[in-house]
Amino acid sequence: MSQYPEARFIKSANALDQFPADTGSEVAVAGRSNAGKSSAINVIVNRRQFARTSKTPGRTRLVNFFSLRDSRRLVDLPGYGFARVAESMRRHWGELLSGYFQSRQSLRGLLLIVDIRRKLTDYDRQMMAFAEDVDLPIHVLLTKADKLKRGQAAKALLEVKKELGSRATAQQFSALKREGEQQARQVLEAFLESRP
Ligand SMILES: Nc1nc2c(ncn2[C@@H]2O[C@H](COP(=O)(O)OP(=O)(O)OP(=O)(O)O)[C@@H](O)[C@H]2O)c(=O)[nH]1
Ligand SMILES: [Mg+2]
């Protein structure tokens, strides 16, 4: 059964003035294009095809708001590959995302979705900087762990943890094998119920 029986899509936004009311609390999910954000959200919410998954990299180009329950939200942020898009588009997204982090009073934490085979990229470092600027806690899901052998996955987690230091916590995750689901949900809930 879903832990979030009332979960529903609220809206997609392409500008700050399209965001839903800034009340209650929400957690942002960020990650490079194709990292596995939508798949991770589906597993955490325990609904197939809840946040759309695509095989086309970068299809999610809007800020997508989901309600988990009364005044508790998840926000799927656009995960562009920095190099791929036009400069004007990159600037638009950069301003939208930094504006989101700077202005959003209900934002309580960042779940950063990282492909365990790629480890941290400049996109991830940029997202962490946005979160740190406003003192938000960060948790990294090293996803697609099923793509690596156990030992390689453990090594990748250690390397990432070493780079992160005390800036963020991290865990292995697999949407395919539903690995790390409970831990991810616990962190999400802790963020959602934390005081501003
Ligand atoms: N093997 C494996 N594949 C995964 C996992 N998570 C996601 N994928 C695959 O990776 C691809 C991208 O997944 P999405 O969840 O759409 O990624 P996204 O970050 O939402 O992508 P965009 O919204 O397009 O930026 C899809 O083909 C997924 O099936 C995982 O844990 N294991
Ligand atoms: Mg997506």
Side-chain angles (χ1 to χ4, degrees):
M1 203 200 77
S2 172
Q3 324 289 316
Y4 302 105
E6 298 162 49
R8 63 184 176 86
F9 173 72
I10 305 174
K11 70 184 298 194
S12 296
N14 192 32
L16 290 174
D17 62 7
Q18 296 167 1
F19 291 172
D22 194 3
T23 56
S25 63
E26 69 190 29
V27 167
V29 180
R32 274 178 61 104
S33 175
N34 210 40
K37 293 175 295 298
S38 299
S39 303
I41 291 173
N42 288 341
V43 165
I44 292 168
V45 177
N46 205 359
R47 296 259 194 100
R48 294 186 67 187
Q49 297 296 316
F50 182 67
R52 204 173 292 128
T53 46
S54 69
K55 292 206 192 297
T56 321
R59 198 187 275 169
T60 317
R61 306 212 145 169
L62 299 163
V63 180
N64 297 301
F65 290 87
F66 301 92
S67 169
L68 293 173
R69 58 177 175 274
D70 192 33
S71 67
R72 298 291 181 267
R73 293 176 302 276
L74 252 191
V75 186
D76 187 358
L77 298 178
Y80 49 98
F82 267 101
R84 292 242 188 96
V85 299
E87 176 59 29
S88 59
M89 205 54 162
R90 214 183 308 171
R91 199 175 318 118
H92 170 73
W93 276 325
E95 282 166 11
L96 182 64
L97 290 179
S98 79
Y100 169 73
F101 279 96
Q102 290 292 328
S103 68
R104 200 75 178 158
Q105 297 298 316
S106 55
L107 185 55
R108 295 286 183 277
L110 173 66
L111 283 184
L112 189 58
I113 313 298
V114 175
D115 187 323
I116 196 165
R117 297 164 302 175
R118 288 173 161 269
K119 292 178 269 190
L120 298 173
T121 65
D122 287 344
Y123 168 90
D124 303 309
R125 295 186 185 97
Q126 175 66 71
M127 288 301 130
M128 290 200 291
F130 284 150
E132 286 173 327
D133 271 353
V134 288
D135 290 325
L136 285 180
I138 304 164
H139 183 66
V140 177
L141 297 189
L142 285 175
T143 194
K144 309 194 187 184
D146 57 277
K147 299 248 192 198
L148 293 182
K149 295 205 174 92
R150 224 170 248 282
Q152 289 176 303
K155 187 165 167 260
L157 176 61
L158 270 180
E159 281 175 31
V160 169
K161 278 187 167 171
K162 197 172 166 195
E163 175 174 345
L164 292 172
S166 60
R167 296 174 69 193
T169 51
Q171 66 165 102
Q172 286 183 35
F173 189 85
S174 166
L176 190 77
K177 297 275 168 70
R178 303 195 70 111
E179 183 197 332
E181 180 188 349
Q182 283 196 353
Q183 190 185 348
R185 211 180 282 124
Q186 274 166 17
V187 173
L188 168 66
E189 281 300 319
F191 286 174
L192 284 172
E193 300 309 323
S194 66
R195 302 264 106 224

